[in-house]
Amino acid sequence: MSAKPKLKQVFDRPKSLKDVPYHYCPGCHHGLIHRLVAEQIDAFGLQESTLAAASVGCSVLLYDYFDVDIVESPHGRAAAVATGLKRAKPDSFVFTYQGDGDLAAIGTAEIVHAANRGEKITVIFVNNAVFGMTGGQMAPTTLEGQVTTTSPYGRSAAEAGLPIRVCEMLSTLEGTAFAARVAVDNIKNLKKAKAALKRAFTYQTKGWGFSFVEFLSSCPTNWKMTPEEANARVGKEMADYFPLGVYKDVRAN
Amino acid sequence: MARRVLIKGNEAIAMGAIEAGCRFYFGYPITPQNEIPEYMSMAMPKLGGTFLQAESEVASINMLLGAAATGARVMTSSSSPGISLKQEGISYLAGSQIPGVIVNMSRSGPGLGGIHPSQGDYFQSTRGGGHGDYRTLVLAPSTAQENYDLTMLAFDLAEKYRNPVMILGDALIGQIKEPVELKSYRKKPQDKPWALTGAKGRHGQILKSLFLADGELTDHNWMLAKKYKSMEKEVRFETYRAEDAQLMLVAFGSVGRILKTSVDILREKGKAVGLLRPITVYPFPKQAVRQAAEEAKALMVMELNTGQMVEDVKLAAECACPVDFYGRPPGSIPTPDELAKEAMKVWRKRGLK
Ligand SMILES: Cc1ncc(C[n+]2csc(CCOP(=O)(O)OP(=O)(O)O)c2C)c(N)n1
Ligand code: SF4
Ligand SMILES: [Mg+2]
């Protein structure tokens, strides 16, 4: 009996990701998050109908990695750009991919109103508590006491307020249908992140409303940490202040 | 036969846009252009289109950017302070080569200024307005009819050049109520292979203005510069009683309109005065101005500001004849008689007969 060796491929690059190396720093979570998003695009069969709004931050080069149609947005405006995309092409799958400087500082008005209107878009929010691209300045999500290039003595609550919990804030809006905060620092969290993304994609593909997934993410370069230290910080300090979980799921059950 | 209706200038813009196939409008209220969003909010739902009152002018220009990236005909409108807020988005439209129509029913400034007619946004409109080395096509209507006609043209030009096109009016042009002949739009839709419609049967497509590779941004800017040069063939202007004019008045928009009556007054007194009215203020009718400078004895620019277009006229005239200026900061609308008197001052100063 000459049996052919039966090898089952269990891991591959998602079809909607291009076969190119990332420019992200070692230990940066952006690449992992890209992969998770691409997996869902594939799983839902959306590569041909996806329109993405890239933002300005370290992920500005989103279009170098995703093999889908992408438009660049001015810094902070991805939610408004995505609103235009979705209104013009309601049958498309529209997502934004934004950092915490982009979404929670300069783009606060756009994200609040897109959520409040219940735009049928999906927002991927990558919170690394710092302005990564511009060299590690303080973000609205920078933790109290955290040293950055513009909070050299540590973020002071008296001067700069305390970090904004965007997921909680957006959950208060009637227009937000799904909101979750996830992390990719370990396998358990990664699985939860996948599930949250799947749910967010379901919300849009079923036309149920605005869906939002916040990722706690590492920035070893600007946190001045090794990849391991940065990864550990996500699960400890970051998740302590920004608790993980599903904050809103209006169609649960 | 085309229908004639009595409508406001702002309504004419909205109706022209709809006739040209615009089905997406994003805006934020500001006087003196509110009739445009109001009209759109009434009309769009009935046409299966989108009217969206955005949270700001910043948001509305970026909604335009998103919708226009899919190849749709999209318009936004505002007035001076709101246009200032849109400028970053307009720069991105230019850099990413996404067409869109932006209406500026300008008001007076600086700052909150007032809602008087003003032409203080001439520089902002014709010099790109936002950051970077780019240009927008700028159409300057002077009647409600022109509002209607030029709005249709604006959509064609925006798509032809994949560039933002601005319609520059003021409170007078937006608020005036007069008869408009509703001509029908007959152009066929163009192919837009650049539009984002989903990566069906092809790889993902990108619309962007960021170019990081060595030399890429230089090439991109040269390509844009050539495009702006090629827009020069779109120059439009009107002349009025310009034949044999010794003094040629140059004015756009509302002042251009008022000056027609001033020219009539002066002609009646036997003065050979004519009018050259740029309809495109970018591209600027340089050749027409140059020719006028050669044929007339003097040029005189009149504006509702303290001197902006006069710089373009001087550049175009290349010292072929003297260029005088009468400017009026916002506050009141000049009458034809007042402007005729100003023209007579120059007539005498230049020793014309
Ligand atoms: C209008 C404007 N202001 C400022 C900048 C500079 N800028 C680029 S990215 C960025 C912050 C990015 O931080 P974030 O969104 O958190 O993304 P990250 O790089 O951390 O992923 C800033 C301030 C810009 N490009 N445009
Ligand atoms: S700077 Fe930070 S966010 Fe940017 S790629 Fe490097 S690690 Fe990632
Ligand atoms: Mg960040």
Side-chain angles (χ1 to χ4, degrees), chain B residues 253-268:
Chain B
S254 51
V255 184
R257 172 192 182 112
I258 296 165
L259 276 178
K260 283 190 179 173
T261 314
S262 314
V263 167
D264 288 342
I265 294 168
L266 294 166
R267 285 277 179 179
E268 217 144 278

Side-chain angles (χ1 to χ4, degrees), chain A residues 16-253:
Chain A
S16 49
L17 270 193
K18 295 179 187 170
D19 191 7
V20 291
Y22 291 128
H23 75 284
Y24 299 114
C25 308
C28 177
H29 286 174
H30 267 305
L32 257 174
I33 299 165
H34 280 18
R35 186 189 162 93
L36 294 186
V37 173
E39 280 177 359
Q40 294 306 323
I41 292 175
D42 285 7
F44 280 78
L46 297 171
Q47 189 180 7
E48 295 188 341
S49 59
T50 293
L51 304 179
S55 66
V56 182
C58 279
S59 60
V60 67
L61 298 176
L62 197 74
Y63 39 73
D64 280 353
Y65 308 125
F66 282 86
D67 191 8
V68 299
D69 279 6
I70 302 181
V71 61
E72 167 194 272
S73 317
H75 189 30
R77 316 302 171 203
V81 171
T83 297
L85 290 170
K86 187 71 180 183
R87 296 294 181 115
K89 290 261 177 260
D91 297 332
S92 305
F93 179 80
V94 174
F95 78 92
T96 74
Y97 187 108
Q98 305 172 256
D100 46 324
D102 192 87
L103 182 143
I106 193 168
T108 322
E110 283 75 12
I111 195 65
V112 165
H113 289 277
N116 194 52
R117 287 191 303 267
E119 293 295 337
K120 294 179 183 66
I121 59 171
T122 300
V123 170
I124 312 296
F125 172 45
V126 179
N127 174 4
N128 57 11
V130 78
F131 283 26
M133 188 192 215
T134 39
Q137 295 82 8
M138 186 178 72
T141 43
T142 294
L143 294 181
E144 191 178 8
Q146 184 179 333
V147 171
T148 71
T149 59
T150 52
S151 57
Y153 309 111
R155 178 180 184 148
S156 139
E159 295 286 336
L162 288 167
I164 298 180
R165 295 188 180 96
V166 179
C167 207
E168 289 84 331
M169 179 176 77
L170 294 183
S171 296
T172 65
L173 301 172
E174 292 300 329
T176 301
F178 180 81
R181 183 182 289 120
V182 299
V184 292
D185 59 320
N186 61 43
I187 300 297
K188 203 176 98 218
N189 281 343
L190 209 119
K191 282 190 169 156
K192 286 187 187 161
K194 273 191 184 190
L197 271 180
K198 186 176 172 193
R199 193 82 184 131
F201 273 58
T202 304
Y203 264 83
Q204 183 175 166
T205 48
K206 296 228 187 261
W208 290 346
F210 179 83
S211 54
F212 180 85
V213 182
E214 171 174 348
F215 284 83
L216 298 185
S217 185
S218 69
C219 180
T221 302
N222 288 305
W223 294 355
K224 312 258 183 286
M225 287 179 174
T226 65
E228 288 83 356
E229 287 165 349
N231 195 62
R233 181 174 187 253
V234 168
K236 291 193 194 107
E237 285 165 63
M238 290 267 291
D240 275 355
Y241 188 86
F242 299 111
L244 303 180
V246 175
Y247 285 83
K248 204 160 181 191
D249 189 350
V250 294
R251 296 261 182 163
N253 305 316

